[in-house]
Amino acid sequence: PQLVAALLLVDTAMLVLIESLVGSTYDNLASRVRRMPGEERFHADFAEGRVREMTDFERGIEDLRVQVDRLLPEMLCWFGPPGEPGVGILKEKSLISADNEEMRQSFLSRIGPLLTNVGIDVAVSRRDSGEGWEYADLPWDRWNGLQRRLTTAPAS
């Protein structure tokens, strides 16, 4: 279950980031990442298959839910806090095509339907307007922007 959760969440987050770099005005970067979304989509299909296979095991979905619940807040934070200055500048200069929240929403639009479909109730839901996803408050007090990860204790 840990591996399947990581395959789904981490690979999907990487695909979202890579897709935001494809049209970069930095030609060296754009040319290097152009083929990567196709390769990452293969990983996404593989992860989806493993998620669906978890339904075949007696405790498969429950075990997977535990791991998704553990990893999802960190992955949602991984895109960075809304309005993060560095990401804003990268988008302003067209080095990336999406800001933190746009990437987070793209990520949720990819994992949310699959997890719901297999019976994993995660703490995200479609907004009433149908435009985007709502999620619980994220643990920004434990966010380390330099390491792009959550720490075990609140940041000082």
Side-chain angles (χ1 to χ4, degrees):
Q2 287 176 316
L3 179 60
V4 173
L7 282 171
L8 176 65
L9 301 179
V10 175
D11 272 6
T12 302
M14 291 302 300
L15 176 58
V16 167
L17 177 62
I18 288 167
E19 287 177 343
S20 77
L21 298 170
V22 169
S24 176
T25 55
Y26 182 45
D27 293 333
N28 286 336
L29 177 61
S31 68
R32 284 179 168 75
V33 299
R34 201 165 282 125
R35 289 189 327 262
M36 292 174 78
E39 296 167 11
E40 287 298 318
R41 281 190 195 93
F42 171 78
H43 295 170
D45 290 345
F46 180 79
E48 180 177 340
R50 303 307 64 81
V51 167
R52 293 190 185 284
E53 284 177 353
M54 294 296 293
T55 64
D56 294 339
F57 298 99
E58 183 178 333
R59 290 193 33 87
I61 289 300
E62 178 57 25
D63 291 345
L64 182 59
R65 183 198 58 76
V66 168
Q67 297 305 317
V68 168
D69 286 349
R70 183 186 63 77
L71 187 55
L72 185 59
E74 180 133 17
M75 294 313 305
L76 291 174
C77 287
W78 183 75
F79 295 103
E84 187 176 24
V87 173
I89 291 169
L90 292 172
K91 185 175 179 189
E92 180 183 307
K93 301 290 184 186
S94 297
L95 294 168
I96 61 173
S97 62
D99 65 24
N100 310 70
E101 187 59 23
E102 290 167 330
M103 286 188 276
R104 196 171 3 263
Q105 289 295 320
S106 178
F107 172 76
L108 288 169
S109 72
R110 292 162 195 238
I111 66 157
L114 172 61
L115 293 173
T116 300
N117 184 266
V118 298
I120 296 178
D121 184 25
V122 291
V124 299
S125 60
R126 294 289 290 163
R127 291 186 178 135
D128 290 338
S129 66
E131 300 286 326
W133 295 81
E134 292 181 347
Y135 47 88
D137 289 336
L138 297 175
W140 295 117
D141 61 327
R142 296 189 303 124
W143 175 244
N144 181 317
L146 182 59
Q147 294 178 350
R148 306 300 291 176
R149 63 181 303 250
L150 295 175
T151 61
T152 53
S156 52

